[in-house]
Amino acid sequence: SQGFIYMVSSASTTGAKTGISSEQELYFERINRMNLKNPRLIGFGISDRESFLKASASASGAIIGSAFVKLLAQSSDLRGDIVTFVRGIKGVK
């Protein structure tokens, strides 16, 4: 295939949990050792810079879904809030 593998970080509801546990890191490393052809992106529990960096260290990247959708729903300055959110994830001021 030519897509990517969506690695679900936990068996919880998306947006219900934040952070990456050591148990999850072991799971990511186990999948990483499989040397799969397709890139792997980790989702669920990825909501801020710290969890994004932790997940991305064990995969090709990470997906921030619920935190971004929440931002969109609560925004009073959509463009500005999106720029601030992305800069925060990237660690850019």
Tab-separated table of all heavy atoms in Angstrom, residues 15-42:
chain	number	residue	atom	x	y	z
A	15	GLY	N	-9.458	11.867	22.891
A	15	GLY	CA	-9.657	13.087	23.658
A	15	GLY	C	-9.870	12.867	25.137
A	15	GLY	O	-9.877	13.807	25.918
A	16	ALA	N	-10.009	11.624	25.576
A	16	ALA	CA	-10.287	11.344	26.981
A	16	ALA	C	-9.025	11.273	27.826
A	16	ALA	O	-9.082	11.397	29.037
A	16	ALA	CB	-11.061	10.030	27.113
A	17	LYS	N	-7.895	11.070	27.199
A	17	LYS	CA	-6.662	10.835	27.927
A	17	LYS	C	-5.553	11.662	27.309
A	17	LYS	O	-5.527	11.894	26.117
A	17	LYS	CB	-6.335	9.344	27.810
A	17	LYS	CG	-5.218	8.862	28.636
A	17	LYS	CD	-5.099	7.358	28.466
A	17	LYS	CE	-3.752	6.966	29.005
A	17	LYS	NZ	-3.046	6.039	28.233
A	18	THR	N	-4.618	12.097	28.140
A	18	THR	CA	-3.470	12.826	27.612
A	18	THR	C	-2.191	12.186	28.131
A	18	THR	O	-2.188	11.502	29.140
A	18	THR	CB	-3.495	14.310	28.037
A	18	THR	OG1	-3.495	14.380	29.459
A	18	THR	CG2	-4.710	15.026	27.486
A	19	GLY	N	-1.109	12.433	27.424
A	19	GLY	CA	0.190	11.924	27.846
A	19	GLY	C	0.464	10.521	27.322
A	19	GLY	O	-0.438	9.812	26.894
A	20	ILE	N	1.735	10.164	27.347
A	20	ILE	CA	2.197	8.865	26.867
A	20	ILE	C	2.855	8.139	28.036
A	20	ILE	O	3.782	8.662	28.654
A	20	ILE	CB	3.234	9.043	25.726
A	20	ILE	CG1	2.678	9.886	24.576
A	20	ILE	CG2	3.749	7.699	25.243
A	20	ILE	CD1	1.567	9.242	23.801
A	21	SER	N	2.392	6.941	28.331
A	21	SER	CA	2.940	6.163	29.441
A	21	SER	C	4.135	5.340	28.978
A	21	SER	O	4.346	5.135	27.777
A	21	SER	CB	1.866	5.230	30.007
A	21	SER	OG	1.591	4.191	29.075
A	22	SER	N	4.898	4.813	29.925
A	22	SER	CA	6.036	3.956	29.579
A	22	SER	C	5.548	2.663	28.913
A	22	SER	O	6.216	2.129	28.032
A	22	SER	CB	6.884	3.652	30.812
A	22	SER	OG	6.104	3.049	31.815
A	23	GLU	N	4.376	2.187	29.296
A	23	GLU	CA	3.797	1.001	28.652
A	23	GLU	C	3.509	1.275	27.180
A	23	GLU	O	3.767	0.433	26.314
A	23	GLU	CB	2.511	0.596	29.381
A	23	GLU	CG	1.878	-0.669	28.840
A	23	GLU	CD	0.628	-1.041	29.621
A	23	GLU	OE1	0.747	-1.424	30.797
A	23	GLU	OE2	-0.466	-0.932	29.029
A	24	GLN	N	2.984	2.447	26.889
A	24	GLN	CA	2.714	2.818	25.500
A	24	GLN	C	4.017	2.943	24.718
A	24	GLN	O	4.089	2.516	23.567
A	24	GLN	CB	1.937	4.138	25.442
A	24	GLN	CG	0.501	3.992	25.906
A	24	GLN	CD	-0.139	5.338	26.090
A	24	GLN	OE1	0.333	6.167	26.870
A	24	GLN	NE2	-1.224	5.577	25.370
A	25	GLU	N	5.033	3.509	25.336
A	25	GLU	CA	6.330	3.632	24.663
A	25	GLU	C	6.881	2.260	24.287
A	25	GLU	O	7.435	2.089	23.200
A	25	GLU	CB	7.322	4.382	25.553
A	25	GLU	CG	7.043	5.865	25.638
A	25	GLU	CD	8.035	6.592	26.521
A	25	GLU	OE1	9.158	6.087	26.737
A	25	GLU	OE2	7.694	7.686	26.988
A	26	LEU	N	6.718	1.283	25.164
A	26	LEU	CA	7.168	-0.085	24.855
A	26	LEU	C	6.412	-0.649	23.657
A	26	LEU	O	6.990	-1.315	22.797
A	26	LEU	CB	6.993	-0.991	26.070
A	26	LEU	CG	7.923	-0.717	27.254
A	26	LEU	CD1	7.528	-1.574	28.456
A	26	LEU	CD2	9.369	-0.969	26.858
A	27	TYR	N	5.114	-0.388	23.609
A	27	TYR	CA	4.296	-0.818	22.462
A	27	TYR	C	4.803	-0.171	21.177
A	27	TYR	O	4.995	-0.835	20.166
A	27	TYR	CB	2.831	-0.468	22.732
A	27	TYR	CG	1.942	-0.396	21.515
A	27	TYR	CD1	1.668	-1.532	20.753
A	27	TYR	CD2	1.369	0.811	21.134
A	27	TYR	CE1	0.836	-1.461	19.637
A	27	TYR	CE2	0.535	0.892	20.016
A	27	TYR	CZ	0.281	-0.242	19.281
A	27	TYR	OH	-0.534	-0.170	18.182
A	28	PHE	N	5.065	1.133	21.211
A	28	PHE	CA	5.557	1.837	20.029
A	28	PHE	C	6.894	1.255	19.574
A	28	PHE	O	7.126	1.061	18.377
A	28	PHE	CB	5.727	3.334	20.304
A	28	PHE	CG	4.472	4.044	20.752
A	28	PHE	CD1	4.560	5.151	21.559
A	28	PHE	CD2	3.216	3.609	20.366
A	28	PHE	CE1	3.424	5.830	21.975
A	28	PHE	CE2	2.062	4.269	20.775
A	28	PHE	CZ	2.179	5.386	21.587
A	29	GLU	N	7.776	0.993	20.511
A	29	GLU	CA	9.086	0.427	20.184
A	29	GLU	C	8.954	-0.968	19.573
A	29	GLU	O	9.676	-1.313	18.634
A	29	GLU	CB	9.970	0.384	21.429
A	29	GLU	CG	10.410	1.751	21.898
A	29	GLU	CD	11.072	1.735	23.262
A	29	GLU	OE1	11.482	0.641	23.733
A	29	GLU	OE2	11.179	2.817	23.868
A	30	ARG	N	8.028	-1.758	20.110
A	30	ARG	CA	7.795	-3.111	19.572
A	30	ARG	C	7.344	-3.032	18.110
A	30	ARG	O	7.850	-3.756	17.256
A	30	ARG	CB	6.767	-3.844	20.433
A	30	ARG	CG	6.635	-5.319	20.086
A	30	ARG	CD	5.765	-6.083	21.070
A	30	ARG	NE	4.360	-5.715	20.937
A	30	ARG	CZ	3.631	-5.146	21.891
A	30	ARG	NH1	4.145	-4.890	23.072
A	30	ARG	NH2	2.371	-4.843	21.681
A	31	ILE	N	6.434	-2.133	17.810
A	31	ILE	CA	5.968	-1.960	16.437
A	31	ILE	C	7.116	-1.430	15.564
A	31	ILE	O	7.302	-1.872	14.434
A	31	ILE	CB	4.750	-1.003	16.369
A	31	ILE	CG1	3.584	-1.527	17.204
A	31	ILE	CG2	4.336	-0.761	14.916
A	31	ILE	CD1	3.051	-2.875	16.793
A	32	ASN	N	7.897	-0.522	16.106
A	32	ASN	CA	9.022	0.052	15.378
A	32	ASN	C	10.015	-1.028	14.945
A	32	ASN	O	10.551	-0.986	13.836
A	32	ASN	CB	9.710	1.101	16.249
A	32	ASN	CG	10.440	2.135	15.447
A	32	ASN	OD1	10.186	2.326	14.274
A	32	ASN	ND2	11.365	2.811	16.089
A	33	ARG	N	10.254	-1.993	15.800
A	33	ARG	CA	11.196	-3.087	15.503
A	33	ARG	C	10.684	-4.001	14.383
A	33	ARG	O	11.447	-4.806	13.849
A	33	ARG	CB	11.485	-3.903	16.759
A	33	ARG	CG	12.372	-3.182	17.756
A	33	ARG	CD	12.860	-4.107	18.845
A	33	ARG	NE	11.804	-4.767	19.590
A	33	ARG	CZ	11.219	-4.289	20.690
A	33	ARG	NH1	11.597	-3.134	21.191
A	33	ARG	NH2	10.265	-4.967	21.290
A	34	MET	N	9.437	-3.892	14.019
A	34	MET	CA	8.881	-4.720	12.948
A	34	MET	C	9.351	-4.252	11.571
A	34	MET	O	9.152	-4.944	10.577
A	34	MET	CB	7.346	-4.720	13.004
A	34	MET	CG	6.806	-5.328	14.271
A	34	MET	SD	5.030	-5.076	14.394
A	34	MET	CE	4.473	-6.666	13.842
A	35	ASN	N	9.973	-3.067	11.510
A	35	ASN	CA	10.478	-2.520	10.251
A	35	ASN	C	9.429	-2.535	9.140
A	35	ASN	O	9.678	-3.004	8.031
A	35	ASN	CB	11.736	-3.269	9.800
A	35	ASN	CG	12.876	-3.068	10.760
A	35	ASN	OD1	13.120	-1.954	11.213
A	35	ASN	ND2	13.563	-4.144	11.100
A	36	LEU	N	8.269	-2.030	9.454
A	36	LEU	CA	7.180	-1.985	8.485
A	36	LEU	C	7.499	-1.019	7.349
A	36	LEU	O	8.210	-0.032	7.544
A	36	LEU	CB	5.883	-1.575	9.185
A	36	LEU	CG	5.445	-2.515	10.311
A	36	LEU	CD1	4.300	-1.904	11.097
A	36	LEU	CD2	5.065	-3.873	9.771
A	37	LYS	N	6.994	-1.308	6.187
A	37	LYS	CA	7.257	-0.511	4.988
A	37	LYS	C	6.618	0.886	5.071
A	37	LYS	O	7.212	1.874	4.682
A	37	LYS	CB	6.725	-1.267	3.764
A	37	LYS	CG	6.817	-0.516	2.462
A	37	LYS	CD	6.195	-1.324	1.347
A	37	LYS	CE	5.383	-0.407	0.474
A	37	LYS	NZ	4.601	-1.093	-0.509
A	38	ASN	N	5.412	0.945	5.570
A	38	ASN	CA	4.666	2.205	5.598
A	38	ASN	C	5.029	3.044	6.821
A	38	ASN	O	5.326	2.512	7.888
A	38	ASN	CB	3.168	1.926	5.603
A	38	ASN	CG	2.719	1.265	4.334
A	38	ASN	OD1	2.985	0.080	4.132
A	38	ASN	ND2	2.063	2.000	3.478
A	39	PRO	N	4.951	4.355	6.673
A	39	PRO	CA	5.171	5.222	7.830
A	39	PRO	C	4.101	4.962	8.894
A	39	PRO	O	2.981	4.580	8.573
A	39	PRO	CB	5.045	6.637	7.271
A	39	PRO	CG	4.723	6.517	5.835
A	39	PRO	CD	4.641	5.079	5.464
A	40	ARG	N	4.457	5.158	10.148
A	40	ARG	CA	3.534	4.975	11.263
A	40	ARG	C	3.280	6.321	11.928
A	40	ARG	O	4.223	7.043	12.231
A	40	ARG	CB	4.121	4.002	12.285
A	40	ARG	CG	4.261	2.596	11.738
A	40	ARG	CD	5.291	1.766	12.486
A	40	ARG	NE	6.392	2.479	13.092
A	40	ARG	CZ	7.465	2.948	12.438
A	40	ARG	NH1	7.560	2.820	11.145
A	40	ARG	NH2	8.424	3.570	13.081
A	41	LEU	N	2.012	6.640	12.134
A	41	LEU	CA	1.618	7.850	12.840
A	41	LEU	C	0.814	7.431	14.061
A	41	LEU	O	-0.043	6.561	13.973
A	41	LEU	CB	0.786	8.763	11.943
A	41	LEU	CG	1.481	9.243	10.671
A	41	LEU	CD1	0.519	10.029	9.798
A	41	LEU	CD2	2.688	10.091	11.008
A	42	ILE	N	1.100	8.047	15.183
A	42	ILE	CA	0.445	7.685	16.442
A	42	ILE	C	-0.640	8.704	16.761
A	42	ILE	O	-0.417	9.911	16.685
A	42	ILE	CB	1.471	7.616	17.591
A	42	ILE	CG1	2.497	6.522	17.298
A	42	ILE	CG2	0.767	7.371	18.924
A	42	ILE	CD1	3.664	6.479	18.263
